[in-house]
Amino acid sequence: MFIPQIILLVLLGALVVTALRVLNEYERGVIFRLGRCIGAKGPGLIILIPVIDKMVKVSMRILTLDVPNQDVITQDNVSLKVNAVIYFRVVDPVKAILEIEDYMFGTSQLAQTTLRSVCGGVELDDLLSHRDKVNARIQAILDQHTDPWGIKVATVEVKHIDLPQEMQRAMAKQAEAERERRAKVIGAEGEYQAATKLAEAAEIISHHPAALQLRYLQTMREMASESKSATILPIPLDILNVLMPKKAGNTTKD
């Protein structure tokens, strides 16, 4: 006579076990009651009505999405391959379940399309030197389109840009030519500065003739300190001017 009671207790225990759910801190449960969404619950212990309620778990942690290589033609007609990584999280679990069938797949496809569109609208130099602006633009577009799905895009980073070998060689030649141009400009600036200083020195010596004599003596001292068999003595130009005969002036007839 205790068998029906035991069976009833077992059934009640099974119903209690199936009705209880435990959600972690980073999880939310979207509850459907007879096919209608009644909202999200969690974290912690929640109670479901067996057979009537159905729960779909949604993770609220930041998710990482790897965007595979995309063939891109930049604005200046350069073909390359670009890949990226996207960090996003679900901020509204109800929208993430109701508004789109698979938010992971939808975000992935949207990220691939946006990456091709944005990289194709800029030149190669901007893509290489202003990558932060490209990342910000991709993030803004993705965040705008995924907002109705209850998804927030946190960060977008372009990871790798695969350039053709011909373009890499052309960029190497361009960089080499730029370095040579800078070297020539620096050399010309050095010559200009040296000529300027020499002109200033000549101006000072012209006003102070004793400075030329001191320079002459210093040059002789430097040459005498070197161990050489022959010594060359520079002759000041003023001596040559004294030794050269003066030209007779033009005479006028009365």
Side-chain angles (χ1 to χ4, degrees):
M1 59 181 298
F2 294 101
I3 295 178
Q5 297 178 355
I6 295 175
I7 295 175
L8 181 60
L9 291 176
V10 172
L11 291 176
L12 290 175
L15 289 175
V16 171
V17 172
T18 55
L20 298 179
R21 292 288 189 276
V22 177
L23 297 177
N24 295 321
E25 183 67 30
Y26 56 86
E27 292 179 332
R28 300 294 184 273
V30 181
I31 309 301
F32 291 89
R33 180 165 295 169
L34 296 177
R36 294 179 61 87
C37 179
I38 62 173
K41 294 184 179 181
L45 179 65
I46 62 174
I47 300 175
L48 301 177
I49 302 176
V51 183
I52 296 177
D53 290 346
K54 179 183 177 182
M55 182 183 69
V56 179
K57 289 184 180 180
V58 179
S59 177
M60 305 294 290
R61 293 179 293 185
I62 294 179
L63 304 175
T64 304
L65 179 61
D66 186 15
V67 182
N69 289 332
Q70 302 296 311
D71 294 326
V72 177
I73 300 178
T74 60
Q75 193 174 9
D76 49 351
N77 298 323
V78 178
S79 299
L80 47 86
K81 292 184 178 180
V82 182
N83 60 0
V85 60
I86 298 175
Y87 300 92
F88 67 97
R89 60 188 296 265
V90 178
V91 294
D92 192 338
V94 176
K95 289 183 179 181
I97 298 300
L98 297 181
E99 299 297 332
I100 187 170
E101 181 180 0
D102 188 346
Y103 62 88
M104 284 289 296
F105 180 75
T107 305
S108 175
Q109 295 299 310
L110 181 61
Q112 296 178 30
T113 305
T114 306
L115 180 63
R116 290 194 299 268
S117 176
V118 173
C119 293
V122 298
E123 296 184 355
L124 179 60
D125 293 339
D126 295 334
L127 184 59
L128 295 176
S129 59
H130 301 92
R131 190 176 298 184
D132 52 345
K133 296 182 179 180
V134 176
N135 295 335
R137 185 175 178 185
I138 296 174
Q139 178 183 353
I141 295 175
L142 287 177
D143 198 27
Q144 179 182 1
H145 286 81
T146 57
D147 184 67
W149 304 344
I151 294 175
K152 174 64 178 177
V153 178
T155 307
V156 176
E157 292 291 340
V158 176
K159 292 195 302 183
H160 181 67
I161 300 175
D162 188 8
L163 292 173
Q165 294 294 330
E166 296 80 5
M167 182 56 62
Q168 294 181 12
R169 288 193 292 268
M171 294 178 65
K173 292 180 180 179
Q174 180 183 2
E176 184 178 358
E178 178 66 20
R179 286 193 293 269
E180 291 180 358
R181 183 189 68 83
R182 293 180 181 178
K184 291 180 180 180
V185 170
I186 294 173
E189 290 180 354
E191 292 292 338
Y192 175 77
Q193 294 176 3
T196 303
K197 295 299 182 182
L198 288 175
E200 293 177 357
E203 182 69 20
I204 295 174
I205 291 176
S206 64
H207 290 83
H208 302 280
L212 180 61
Q213 184 68 22
L214 293 176
R215 183 60 182 170
Y216 175 73
L217 295 175
Q218 184 180 2
T219 303
M220 293 181 61
R221 178 182 178 184
E222 292 177 356
M223 296 176 63
S225 62
E226 297 180 358
S227 58
K228 292 183 179 180
S229 58
T231 303
I232 300 175
L233 296 178
I235 300 176
L237 295 178
D238 294 341
I239 298 178
L240 296 178
N241 293 332
V242 173
L243 296 177
M244 291 179 63
K246 295 183 179 180
K247 295 182 179 179
N250 295 330
T251 61
T252 59
K253 294 181 181 181
D254 295 339

